[in-house]
Amino acid sequence: MDAFKFFVPLCFLFFTACQSSVENKPEVEADRYLQISGIYPHLTAYNQPEDSLGKLRHLEGGIGAVVPWANHLWYLTYPPHQRSGSNDKLYMVDENMNLSIRPESVGGTHANRMIHQESQQLIIGPYFIDTLGNVRAADVQQLEGRLTATTRHLTDTENMVYFYDMEGMVYEVNVHTLAVKRLFEKPVPGWHGKGAYLGQSRLIVANNGEHQGHPMGYSKLLAGGPAENPEEAGVLAEWDGTEWRIIERKQFTDVTGPGGIYGNGSDDDPVWSMGWDKRSVILKLLDNGTWYTYRLPKASHAFDPRHGWFTEWPRIRAVSEDRMMMAMHATLFDFPKAFSRSQSGGIAPLATHLRYIPDFGYWKDRVILAADDASRMQNPIVGQPQSNLWFGKLSQLATFGPKIGWGGVWIEDAVKPGQPSDAFLLNGYAQRVLHLTHDLDQAVTFTLELDAEGNNQWTILKAVTVGADGYHFELLPTDLRGTWLRLKTDQACVASAFLHYYSSRSFDNNESALFGGLADIEAQGAATAGLIRPAGHNRSLQMVLPDENNAYWEVNLNEEGTDLTFAQPKEEHSREVLQVGALAENPYTVDDASVILSNYDGQRFRLPKGDARYESIWSLGKPRALREVQSERYLANIQGQFYEIPRAEGAGNHVPEYRYIKPVSRHDKQITDYCSWRGLLVLTGVKQGAKEDGQVFTNGAGMGLWFGAIDDLWKLGKPSGIGGPWKNTPVKTGEVSDPYLMTGFDHKQLELSHDANQTVKVRIEVAIHHQANAWQTYQTVEVPAGETFKHEFPKGFHAHWVRLWIDQGCKATAIFRYD
């Protein structure tokens, strides 16, 4: 394989110089197509007929792979579970952004892509595409499966490649004849196969899901077996051509190396794989035949469920000629192409994101992010599944969400004295707090060690003694520089070491202009309210206005792809919008203290309150509070603030899991509804008479909608709010309050008061993670009678939730102020 180190750049120059032999639509200059926040509506991908009512419905239409090749950009969509073809298409875009749907399309649920250097072909899904853009499709009755990875071959690199399938099958395919041979049916456990890669003389496969009732069972396994405990789910495994071996029984997704989509140039090159467990994101490194483990923070729990469905398909890929990026658990990381045991420095967060990103790449100096935008799976509000691409400069990624995250090396783990933990990423975050716990009735000393340069040279940072009470938080200095952190204890114990990171997002004063067309909550003028929904009977966006006639409108992209048009069609569909897309019953209530969410399991959680007018001014009732605008996760709009909420794993996967909620942005706008359409985020609440400005589009008669990208939401404003668990609330002795949200907010202050005629003790407890035994005592304070006690949390202190305990009955008030 060494010979191909010089071959890759030569191939790249040759391939991109070639022209496609396929006829396109009449060419249109790229700048003539409508582009909104980096999204071209005419590039929207669908996987069912336009007039699809009553016909076969694919419930999902994510873009599984996107690759520049032969002077074009290629992408394909995937439905949920089609193993031998479907309505999904192979798309091709030329340098002027003209779109063609390839007639060779055979469909299926695929996300694999590889460039086979020797035969000069792009392999994407079941398609083999040469340098002239000629497409051949493998027989999907023979190459049956949901193809998730294609790799180089162990022995016959000239003629053969491997295909890996979501069910766990491994195929061998001849790149010239497309002859298919199934090598393995299910050699290793797991039920949601994702990545595969060839490196260091082994085929490495990753699987990110577990289900004991998998129809294929475990009868075909050649290594491993059923999960033996809740920690075992999915797998990272390898095959050397003779024997299968289990590397780790955790949930893993991508496997790749510095060679990326081409495959590694040398058998000595490292191999990387990404996964996760309850503690944090896992980054595995294969270097010189040995596997090593590194850990990074999560920025969302939307990807976590054990079945693995909600993690499609995190990657490590090139985003420029000399830079790679890692997308995992809602963070985009700068990823060094030279990452190895001796050179592990350079990983740093770029931003967090709301977009569901199955694949990404770069083309013509722009980063391209695929998506899984609008899904119908357990989501009838969407008429048709649809997804689109985002195009932007690499520097624009930094305008997405703030660099935040949480994770650790231990959560209630048995720890041996003197044994170092895995390395945890330290680099790239401004505020960092380390939460430490142990189970002994005596003090335990935790030694913090630092790998400053990422060269595996560790030095002692400091020793932290945690007393017999078993909990301590340590604020790491803001000027502390280093790549990795690890810990040791001086005694055997059950310990937790969990970190929370936060960096305030830099707001540009010009960003407010993006939302200038939306009406503020205190504005006296009217705003466009109504219900919106991607249609099922055509490609339009449906809208019903709240007037005496329920006026029905449709928004469409014109035939030229250059503008959005509003019309009132003769065929009236307001009833279906009102029935299917109606404002659902609100998932929250409000009392004098705060917003209250009731989880499916009966647990109550509390959030900051917003302007009281959010509960009273709307002609259609309260604004929509919960909607899926990216597949398999919720966006919530609660009292002037957006939140992300994962789907619950243990309740049928179609209800929100409020314990994992995180704030996105404060807006204080008159937004009544929102949805995803043609890859765009659409918001109601535009000022009556607003002018078109590139984000607002109107009917020319005073009514309009706002269009943008999902990650524009971060630009609305920093999360903030006021509220708490009690406001003049009767509280019993020893009673514990509902949890109140703490994560994702910057400056935090608490005010306590009561009506007792003597001093009251209040214990402030924080949930440092989401597992058992998460609650720890932050501080116990005394609140004198007739006084208001104020406490400002240290800058940099973060936890997921906060709750209060009181030592005697009284009417109590506890208000948190976040800004």
Side-chain angles (χ1 to χ4, degrees), residues 126-438:
Y127 308 105
F128 290 70
I129 307 169
D130 68 18
T131 59
L132 298 177
N134 298 307
V135 177
R136 297 180 299 156
D139 184 346
V140 293
Q141 303 299 318
Q142 297 296 316
L143 188 60
E144 182 185 18
R146 296 183 287 173
L147 308 175
T148 60
T150 304
T151 82
R152 295 181 63 78
H153 197 272
L154 275 169
T155 57
D156 191 355
T157 57
E158 294 279 342
N159 304 302
M160 298 291 185
V161 293
Y162 297 121
F163 280 77
Y164 182 53
D165 144 84
M166 198 174 290
E167 272 63 50
M169 296 183 187
V170 179
Y171 291 96
E172 183 182 68
V173 177
N174 188 297
V175 300
H176 309 295
T177 67
L178 306 192
V180 177
K181 178 181 179 181
R182 190 172 71 186
L183 300 179
F184 301 101
E185 188 170 351
K186 190 172 181 59
V188 293
W191 84 314
H192 208 233
K194 287 293 184 182
Y197 206 70
L198 192 79
Q200 300 189 33
S201 299
R202 62 195 84 185
L203 173 65
I204 302 154
V205 300
N207 186 301
N208 78 328
E210 192 73 23
H211 182 54
Q212 300 291 3
H214 191 288
M216 202 173 291
Y218 295 93
S219 61
K220 305 293 184 179
L221 297 187
L222 301 178
E228 297 182 356
N229 58 66
E231 285 267 47
E232 293 193 352
V235 77
L236 185 65
E238 61 185 20
W239 178 59
D240 62 6
T242 302
E243 178 186 9
W244 282 94
R245 293 182 293 273
I246 304 297
I247 300 163
E248 190 165 358
R249 197 72 162 81
K250 294 285 181 68
Q251 294 172 269
F252 286 92
T253 56
D254 195 23
V255 190
T256 189
I261 197 170
Y262 294 93
N264 277 352
S266 168
D267 208 39
D268 297 327
D269 286 346
V271 176
W272 316 307
S273 182
M274 301 185 301
W276 77 93
D277 61 13
K278 66 181 183 181
R279 299 161 191 82
S280 48
V281 167
I282 300 170
L283 174 61
K284 299 292 283 192
L285 165 68
L286 177 63
D287 193 343
N288 197 27
T290 301
W291 285 99
Y292 301 95
T293 302
Y294 297 83
R295 291 182 175 271
L296 299 89
K298 301 176 182 180
S300 170
H301 286 293
F303 304 80
D304 275 353
R306 182 178 174 84
H307 50 60
W309 300 345
F310 303 162
T311 313
E312 298 175 351
W313 273 267
R315 316 272 198 181
I316 299 173
R317 283 203 65 182
V319 287
S320 72
E321 290 290 341
D322 55 359
R323 292 181 69 178
M324 302 187 83
M325 185 171 76
M326 170 180 172
M328 188 66 175
H329 268 60
T331 298
L332 303 176
F333 293 95
D334 227 338
F335 193 88
K337 195 170 183 178
F339 183 79
S340 64
R341 188 62 171 168
S342 61
Q343 298 182 63
S344 62
I347 296 180
L350 293 169
T352 53
H353 60 91
L354 296 170
R355 187 180 185 86
Y356 199 174
I357 305 175
D359 197 18
F360 58 91
Y362 73 99
W363 185 50
K364 297 189 178 299
D365 297 322
R366 289 193 290 180
V367 175
I368 305 119
L369 304 179
D372 191 348
D373 287 313
S375 167
R376 278 188 52 80
M377 292 186 297
Q378 301 164 328
N379 182 26
I381 296 178
V382 169
Q384 292 185 38
Q386 50 198 270
S387 293
N388 208 337
L389 303 170
W390 177 90
F391 295 78
K393 295 292 186 181
L394 184 57
S395 60
Q396 288 179 259
L397 298 178
T399 69
F400 287 12
K403 302 170 187 177
I404 63 173
W406 51 82
V409 294
W410 302 319
I411 293 183
E412 301 295 321
D413 288 316
V415 177
K416 296 179 180 178
Q419 181 171 307
S421 70
D422 294 333
F424 192 85
L425 184 67
L426 185 68
N427 185 44
Y429 297 92
Q431 300 177 17
R432 296 164 293 193
V433 58
L434 170 63
H435 297 276
L436 298 171
T437 73
H438 66 80

Side-chain angles (χ1 to χ4, degrees), residues 558-592:
N558 67 2
E559 187 174 350
E560 295 78 19
T562 58
D563 197 11
L564 300 182
T565 62
F566 290 67
Q568 291 186 285
K570 294 180 180 179
E571 187 178 359
E572 218 266 2
H573 289 267
S574 60
R575 178 172 295 182
E576 74 184 42
V577 180
L578 291 169
Q579 289 177 342
V580 180
L583 291 178
E585 181 179 349
N586 268 285
Y588 72 89
T589 58
V590 180
D591 65 11
D592 288 342

